[in-house]
Amino acid sequence: EEVRADNFLDATQDQIQDSFFPGSHKKKFLLTDTGSAMSENVLNAPLLTKVKVAKTLLKHYKNGEILAWSSNENLQNIFENFGLVNEREQYKGNYLYIVEANLGSNKASCCITRSVSHEVTTEDKSQKNVLTIYYLNENAPPQTPGHRWGGDYVNYLRIVIPEKSEVVKITVNNQEYSQIEKHEIAVKPSEDKSFTVKSDSNYKIIGFWVITKIGESSEVKTEYSQEENAEGYEIVIEKQPGIQPFFYSTKIEDQTVTRRISKDTKIKL
């Protein structure tokens, strides 16, 4: 079968989902063969096509959408020097990184719309943060002609904030989650109404499940507090590679700023 831009998802779904069994290498073989064919086509393409490909790669590189890793130490050093290994910079100030992991064994990520609202209020030299993430699953039901990659969005969500922050409350669709040490494997994601909090260097990582069914939406609200910055409000928003750009709106006191987040962004009020 010829793999093209307009049938890539269907072809991938055919190989991965149809007649799947544990230990299957269909996905690996398909992606490896497709990658090799694409490389050969680019090498043999006209100069104008090569220039277009180079411009596309440069655009995605500047937006942090290209990642690379190698077991070869010298090559890995080159990747690190070009910022291709996705190592977080050690920001000491206000910071936000929303990390999604689609663990539903489907291609639901293709049709998820997300937006973020961040409200900050100051009281007694402390800043109260209410971070709200909205998800809309616009996938068609599985096996719908032309939309075979649809499904529920089974998302293990991690929210990375400054290490000195204090997590107050997590609610998903108005249901409050409870904090635990670690998730129980025996508990299904759809039934797990808990969250974990881990410290990592200058950061605190909150992790929990968010299930957004086909044609439905989810509202995720994270409340946390942190010390007020006497020099004014500033936040660095790191964008996860591979996630579609989204709108982020922050409100602090009487000021509101809305940005389209297509790459790592700093906002200062």
Side-chain angles (χ1 to χ4, degrees):
E1 179 183 1
E2 181 183 5
V3 178
R4 305 180 306 276
D6 61 351
N7 75 344
F8 178 74
L9 287 174
D10 277 340
T12 304
Q13 196 77 343
D14 284 338
Q15 295 294 319
I16 296 172
Q17 301 295 349
D18 295 353
S19 302
F20 173 80
F21 60 88
S24 172
H25 294 287
K26 283 188 173 183
K27 177 181 178 180
K28 175 183 177 182
F29 293 154
L30 173 68
L31 297 180
T32 299
D33 291 346
T34 302
S36 298
M38 289 176 62
S39 297
E40 184 176 349
N41 286 345
V42 171
L43 289 174
N44 296 323
L47 179 59
L48 182 58
T49 299
K50 292 179 179 178
V51 171
K52 290 181 179 179
V53 171
K55 287 183 176 180
T56 299
L57 291 174
L58 181 60
K59 174 186 175 182
H60 289 306
Y61 166 71
K62 289 182 176 179
N63 288 341
E65 300 289 357
I66 298 178
L67 302 179
W69 178 87
S70 175
S71 58
N72 182 293
E73 184 175 349
N74 293 330
L75 187 55
Q76 181 68 6
N77 288 336
I78 294 175
F79 291 155
E80 291 177 359
N81 291 335
F82 279 92
L84 296 175
V85 296
N86 198 36
E87 289 186 348
R88 291 198 305 271
E89 293 187 37
Q90 296 300 305
Y91 297 107
K92 294 183 179 180
N94 203 1
Y95 173 86
L96 175 65
Y97 187 22
I98 299 171
V99 186
E100 303 175 20
N102 177 19
L103 300 179
S105 298
N106 58 24
K107 297 292 179 275
S109 305
C110 73
C111 304
I112 300 297
T113 301
R114 56 188 63 74
S115 62
V116 179
S117 172
H118 193 173
E119 186 171 351
V120 183
T121 55
T122 303
E123 183 176 344
D124 296 331
K125 296 184 179 181
S126 175
Q127 286 184 337
K128 178 183 177 182
N129 295 260
V130 180
L131 179 74
T132 308
I133 307 173
Y134 303 94
Y135 291 105
L136 175 62
N137 187 342
E138 299 181 286
N139 278 280
Q143 305 305 321
T144 300
H147 297 277
R148 299 189 60 248
W149 54 90
D152 294 341
Y153 189 42
V154 184
N155 171 25
Y156 188 76
L157 179 64
R158 284 166 291 173
I159 299 175
V160 186
I161 56 179
E163 200 277 332
K164 293 183 179 180
S165 301
E166 186 69 29
V167 180
V168 177
K169 185 165 60 174
I170 303 291
T171 58
V172 178
N173 296 328
N174 296 317
Q175 180 170 0
E176 185 172 348
Y177 280 25
S178 58
Q179 184 174 349
I180 59 174
E181 289 294 322
K182 65 177 182 179
H183 296 286
E184 296 292 337
I185 298 178
V187 179
K188 296 180 180 179
S190 59
E191 299 173 353
D192 192 340
K193 310 302 180 183
S194 62
F195 69 93
T196 61
V197 179
K198 299 180 180 179
S199 294
D200 179 16
S201 188
N202 292 330
Y203 307 107
K204 189 164 285 184
I205 304 173
I206 312 166
F208 53 97
W209 291 99
V210 179
I211 315 299
T212 307
K213 293 185 176 297
I214 295 173
E216 297 184 5
S217 61
S218 295
E219 180 185 272
V220 181
K221 187 171 292 186
T222 302
E223 298 181 30
Y224 62 97
S225 60
Q226 58 190 145
E227 292 182 0
E228 180 185 11
N229 185 352
E231 298 179 359
Y233 184 81
E234 181 177 288
I235 186 169
V236 172
I237 304 164
E238 186 168 349
K239 179 186 173 294
Q240 179 183 358
I243 294 294
Q244 291 294 323
F246 59 91
F247 283 100
Y248 169 91
S249 177
T250 181
K251 178 181 180 182
I252 177 168
E253 306 306 335
D254 59 346
Q255 299 183 73
T256 301
V257 172
T258 299
R259 296 279 179 84
R260 182 176 182 269
I261 307 299
S262 60
K263 59 183 178 179
D264 296 352
T265 303
K266 179 184 290 187
I267 296 176
K268 187 173 183 178
L269 296 177

